[in-house]
Amino acid sequence: CSSDLGHGCDWVVCWIHDWPRAPQDLVIVELRREFGLGFNVWFQPVAGDYRDVLSRINSDDQWSVPPGAVKGDLLLFCRTAPDSFIRDVFRVSGPVRQVEAGWKPGKDWMAPIKRVCTLDAPVHLSDFRDHRVLRDAGFVRGNMRGRYRASEYWPDIYRMIVGRNPSVTKKLARFGPEHIL
């Protein structure tokens, strides 16, 4: 969607809604959601005390998420160095809004989140670096420190996760690679 569309327009119909600063009074119909298709996968870094908080919760009413995330997207929480691994998998369970951040000055993109699963065998940054496809991904080159969209790599990441954690296969079934766009 383009920011120029907001003037004199009541509705926007698109396949993927990727306009985080859309005017509040504009109705946006995202067709992939209307037809129950597709989701995105995001890396979300977590550090310090928030790592401990995250490991103890099953859901939260307001958590920092990538600005392009929308309800239904998958969040792979990356514990930053020295840990450098993914253990917690959540989904965005409500609308993403820009609000005053409680953890830093200014605003942040926040949304409710709900746990999908916890990995007994975490996937480490070194595992991604050793993978023939994933080693060249931006989230690997960036040491899993940014809020990367990793949807195109999801089939490989998914296989890596369920290969090490067969017990989460059922919990991740609705997020299988065949459901991503």
Side-chain angles (χ1 to χ4, degrees):
C1 296
S2 166
S3 61
D4 295 337
L5 293 174
H7 302 291
C9 181
D10 297 322
W11 287 62
V12 171
V13 178
C14 54
W15 184 248
I16 297 173
H17 174 16
D18 58 356
W19 188 9
R21 290 190 172 94
Q24 294 288 358
D25 57 344
L26 185 65
V27 176
I28 298 178
V29 177
E30 185 178 29
L31 291 176
R32 71 178 181 152
R33 302 282 179 207
E34 293 296 317
F35 290 99
L37 301 170
F39 61 92
N40 280 309
V41 177
W42 300 92
F43 276 84
Q44 175 65 35
V46 62
D49 294 339
Y50 291 103
R51 286 186 281 220
D52 298 329
V53 171
L54 189 66
S55 65
R56 292 190 308 264
I57 65 168
N58 284 319
S59 64
D60 194 273
D61 291 338
Q62 188 163 273
W63 197 277
S64 180
V65 298
V70 296
K71 182 178 179 182
D73 283 355
L74 199 64
L75 301 170
L76 305 176
F77 279 92
C78 309
R79 294 171 186 236
T80 58
D83 298 331
S84 300
F85 63 74
I86 297 168
R87 173 172 282 150
D88 304 290
V89 180
F90 281 76
R91 68 178 170 81
V92 178
S93 59
V96 177
R97 302 187 195 292
Q98 194 174 32
V99 298
E100 288 299 321
W103 62 280
K104 69 174 188 173
K107 293 188 174 188
D108 193 12
W109 296 96
M110 308 289 274
I113 61 171
K114 184 169 175 68
R115 183 177 298 278
V116 174
C117 63
T118 303
L119 307 180
D120 292 330
V123 180
H124 292 264
L125 176 58
S126 60
D127 300 321
F128 289 123
R129 286 184 176 147
D130 291 341
H131 192 277
R132 64 180 181 75
V133 173
L134 300 175
R135 67 177 166 225
D136 295 323
F139 57 87
V140 175
R141 291 190 318 268
N143 296 314
M144 297 191 314
R145 289 194 176 268
R147 296 177 175 193
Y148 292 93
R149 183 180 163 276
S151 302
E152 69 256 36
Y153 298 103
W154 180 235
D156 291 303
I157 297 168
Y158 177 86
R159 282 191 291 278
M160 190 179 285
I161 288 173
V162 299
R164 292 172 182 219
N165 300 273
S167 64
V168 303
T169 303
K170 195 172 192 177
K171 293 177 181 176
L172 283 175
R174 72 183 265 205
F175 295 102
E178 68 277 9
H179 298 294
I180 202 164
L181 291 178

